Amino acid sequence: MRRDLIFTLAAMAALLAAGLYGYFGDEPFYLTLAAKAAIFGLAGAGLNIALGYGGLVSLGHAAFFGIGGYAAGILASHARNYEPLMTWPVELAGTTSAPVIWIVAMLAAGLFSLPMGLLSLRTGGVYFIMITLAFAQMLYYFAVSWPAYGGEDGLSFYVRNELGGLQTMNPWIWFLVCYAILAVVLVLIAILTRSRFGLALTMARENPLRLANLGIGPKRVLLTAFVISAILTGLAGALYADLNRFVSPAMLSWHMSGEIMVFVILGGVGRLGGPVAGACVFILLEQVLGGFTEYWQFLLGLALIIIVLMGSGGLAGLFDRSGAKKGAAHG
Amino acid sequence: MAEPLLVTSGLSRGFGALKACDDVNLDIRAGEIHALIGPNGAGKSTFVKLVSGEIGPDTGSIHLLGKSVETLPMTARAGLGMARSFQVSALAPSMSGLEHVVLALLPHEGGVFHFLRPVARERELRDRAGEMLARVGMLDRAEIPVAGLSHGERRQLEIAIALALEPRVLLLDEPMAGMGPEGSARLAALLNELRGDMGILLIEHDMDTVFALADRISVMVGGRIVATGNADEIRSDETVKTAYLGETP
């Protein structure tokens, strides 16, 4: 528990340091990268609730990431074109207010995750992976073929959405917004895992039969976790759309699901700060290795294999073991 | 005499050609320990799985407190007052014993859908869980994750969890297996004490324990109940002697 906290604080400190370097070194590019890492960390933190705490291997979280992104893009584009979102039965206008967009993104992702979770949870193991993948791909092909919002080309919206009086187009401000949201979400997850629900979720992962035997339905517990997980990944999607001022079906594709899963596995499955560390290292590798070769993902794959073979637990696991060794040397 | 807490009639379940449970009629009365004995593979564990709802019967009925429950899921049967210990400990390795017992208390204490208050601050629940652990002699090991507990300690924890459910009917599938003499003796004393509060089905291999504890004993061979009676009746029953106690007349 304590090592988990230290690791999380270390990952968050590293991310903040990257942001500060970008700000004081006057390198907006680094600030954008740091904001991207915060957003990917948030998407991973969402997936981690299903994958890490609930043991649900979802290969469909791009669906929620993309839904969040499209929620932001669609609402903003309607507001900017002064076209109502719908006129019947009630007239609804678009909006460029970021908090409203975040709430809509989270609601949309949560609503979509309900039937997806209900159906997927009827299965287990590899079938669960396949059904979640199928749901996400369904949305992907829908987005590609739906012309209203750009279809395959995606949807651009030029200016970031509004948050109070903040200069959201300022990379430093935008990084801080993303960083603050990530920090709040991590605190909420820490609270969740220590609650009654967290206890039930642990049992649902490690021994669902026993949980049922105690009179608690494991599926209800897992479905709740899946929906919470989707809501957080949806929020990350909305932030990501605003970061790029662009959404496209790529946010919904299975590559994206795989990447979110890589953040979690690289950083440490079921570890609070794991996805943040994973996202930071992922982006670092992308930048550093990507500078040497365009085949950097080959090297990323290699790094992933090594980390997984060195024992599950990812970077957080390595951190634990290095600490344990030091402790042994002192003792 | 009062209606028994649990009654099975004509309960059968086959796996392919094998009849694991064949027309089993058994009842558990309030305040008794009813032991179920029989050689390995007799179908005792299948019977517990049928009664607890882990698997469904092919035919037959199960009445719990007068209600027909054979089609109800496990969670509903647990809600009606049935608890079970598993033959192979079914625990979460990363959770402590105390957390297990707290979790078992939750369905009666407002449920598990509370997301914000840390369990560590639920003083009253933790105290009650501590009492349960003390009854099985596990209080000093309460905070250790299950992965670090011995086999016998896990068995003791199984009992504490079952107690936390405040069951009317308690199904114990070989609770003493792997416990060691001291643990077994303590558990036997505890079961003796619990007898007044609930009906207990005890599956156990150790005959001395069974004959000392049980009010009634049923003998299962090849999926069928071949005899039911008190200790003296079972000891002197000819069918039991040949089929199970291994004595030739």
Side-chain angles (χ1 to χ4, degrees):
Chain A
M1 230 30 157
R2 219 174 122 245
R3 295 209 65 80
D4 203 32
L5 183 68
I6 296 171
F7 180 73
T8 307
L9 290 176
M12 287 300 279
L15 181 55
L16 186 62
L20 287 170
Y21 175 75
Y23 178 62
F24 288 108
D26 200 19
E27 301 256 22
F29 176 65
Y30 286 113
L31 277 170
T32 305
L33 281 184
K36 190 174 162 187
I39 293 167
F40 279 175
L42 177 60
L47 174 63
N48 202 19
I49 292 179
L51 177 66
Y53 299 114
L56 300 170
V57 185
S58 163
L59 198 49
H61 265 53
F64 312 127
F65 197 65
I67 286 173
Y70 270 96
I74 290 172
L75 283 174
S77 74
H78 276 278
R80 298 226 160 80
N81 300 335
Y82 304 103
E83 286 167 6
L85 206 55
M86 54 192 233
T87 51
W88 190 90
V90 284
E91 185 165 316
L92 269 183
T95 176
T96 55
S97 156
V100 174
I101 285 175
W102 295 341
I103 290 168
V104 171
M106 290 192 285
L107 278 177
L111 279 178
F112 189 75
S113 72
L114 256 179
M116 181 168 161
L118 267 174
L119 280 170
S120 310
L121 280 169
R122 296 173 67 98
T123 66
V126 75
Y127 299 101
F128 185 88
I129 302 176
M130 285 298 128
I131 291 188
T132 50
L133 172 66
F135 265 100
Q137 286 301 93
M138 212 166 72
L139 270 191
Y140 169 76
Y141 285 111
F142 177 73
V144 165
S145 59
W146 194 27
Y149 297 106
E152 209 169 350
D153 299 330
L155 180 64
S156 305
F157 50 98
Y158 308 112
V159 183
R160 281 193 193 127
N161 292 306
E162 292 150 17
L163 180 63
L166 293 177
Q167 296 282 332
T168 52
M169 281 308 286
N170 176 331
W172 170 240
I173 301 283
W174 186 248
F175 163 73
L176 287 180
V177 167
C178 295
Y179 187 85
I181 291 176
L182 174 64
V184 168
V185 165
L186 289 184
V187 169
L188 287 176
I189 294 175
I191 291 173
L192 180 88
T193 52
R194 286 161 177 75
S195 72
R196 287 179 171 200
F197 180 77
L199 214 53
L201 186 57
T202 306
M203 189 58 94
R205 177 184 78 235
E206 296 192 353
N207 211 320
L209 181 64
R210 162 61 81 183
L211 193 64
N213 211 258
L214 298 179
I216 303 163
K219 282 202 178 146
R220 279 179 62 200
V221 172
L222 290 173
L223 180 64
T224 308
F226 191 71
V227 171
I228 295 172
S229 159
I231 286 172
L232 295 179
T233 303
L235 176 61
L239 294 173
Y240 192 62
D242 249 340
L243 175 75
N244 301 319
R245 287 153 289 142
F246 175 65
V247 304
S248 76
M251 276 179 79
L252 290 161
S253 86
W254 65 274
H255 296 98
M256 193 68 232
S257 293
E259 264 183 33
I260 300 174
M261 199 182 276
V262 167
F263 307 148
V264 179
I265 295 173
L266 194 62
V269 176
R271 298 295 296 263
L272 183 62
V276 180
C280 289
V281 169
F282 182 89
I283 286 171
L284 200 68
L285 288 176
E286 184 181 40
Q287 293 306 317
V288 175
L289 298 176
F292 293 123
T293 163
E294 60 182 295
Y295 304 111
W296 71 276
Q297 289 190 322
F298 174 80
L299 296 169
L300 170 74
L302 217 58
L304 201 61
I305 290 170
I306 291 169
I307 284 182
V308 170
L309 285 183
M310 284 179 74
S312 56
L315 297 166
L318 292 178
F319 173 78
D320 288 356
R321 281 193 289 278
S322 71
K325 256 182 224 142
K326 230 178 276 166
H330 284 297
Chain B
M1 169 147 196
E3 175 84 0
L5 297 173
L6 181 93
V7 184
T8 74
S9 6
L11 202 61
S12 298
R13 167 72 194 230
F15 298 100
L18 175 76
K19 279 234 161 199
C21 270
D22 189 4
D23 192 27
V24 176
N25 302 301
L26 187 145
D27 63 275
I28 300 170
R29 299 172 191 151
E32 78 164 345
I33 295 178
H34 190 152
L36 181 61
I37 62 174
N40 286 325
K44 305 184 298 288
S45 286
T46 301
F47 179 71
V48 169
K49 284 180 186 169
L50 285 169
V51 172
S52 67
E54 187 180 334
I55 55 177
D58 295 331
T59 56
S61 70
I62 305 164
H63 284 79
L64 176 63
L65 309 176
K67 286 193 195 73
S68 167
V69 298
E70 64 272 6
T71 56
L72 291 183
M74 212 184 321
T75 47
R77 295 187 207 190
L80 284 172
M82 175 146 52
R84 163 192 178 188
S85 84
F86 287 77
Q87 186 182 10
V88 179
S89 292
L91 305 164
S94 72
M95 283 166 57
S96 72
L98 190 73
E99 286 176 323
H100 276 83
V101 182
V102 167
L103 186 61
L105 290 168
L106 291 183
H108 293 296
E109 297 295 334
V112 299
F113 288 92
H114 295 265
F115 302 87
L116 297 180
R117 184 150 57 127
V119 172
R121 296 233 190 94
E122 304 222 38
R123 181 62 53 81
E124 193 220 345
L125 278 175
R126 295 172 73 87
D127 287 349
R128 274 178 58 199
E131 281 167 33
M132 309 287 172
L133 287 166
R135 287 182 86 170
V136 298
M138 281 281 294
L139 190 55
D140 52 335
R141 306 279 284 162
E143 305 278 356
I144 299 168
V146 163
L149 295 180
S150 73
H151 181 72
E153 287 170 331
R154 293 180 194 197
R155 310 294 318 170
Q156 283 163 271
L157 178 55
E158 283 275 340
I159 307 295
I161 293 169
L163 290 182
L165 296 170
E166 293 179 5
R168 303 290 308 279
V169 175
L170 178 58
L171 312 173
L172 299 174
D173 195 355
E174 301 195 21
M176 290 158 187
M179 233 184 209
E182 191 200 338
S184 300
R186 178 166 44 216
L187 181 55
L190 177 62
L191 292 182
N192 216 2
E193 194 184 308
L194 289 175
R195 182 199 310 258
D197 305 332
M198 59 191 78
I200 299 173
L201 179 74
L202 174 68
I203 295 182
E204 182 50 53
H205 274 299
D206 181 54
M207 286 308 126
D208 293 337
T209 310
V210 167
F211 284 126
L213 273 179
D215 300 289
R216 284 191 300 159
I217 301 168
S218 288
V219 184
M220 197 175 209
V221 179
R224 300 184 73 97
I225 301 278
V226 295
T228 297
N230 65 29
D232 292 334
E233 289 163 355
I234 293 299
R235 268 200 205 95
S236 56
D237 189 292
E238 291 301 322
T239 351
V240 176
K241 279 186 191 166
T242 47
Y244 181 48
L245 296 178
E247 295 168 26
T248 40

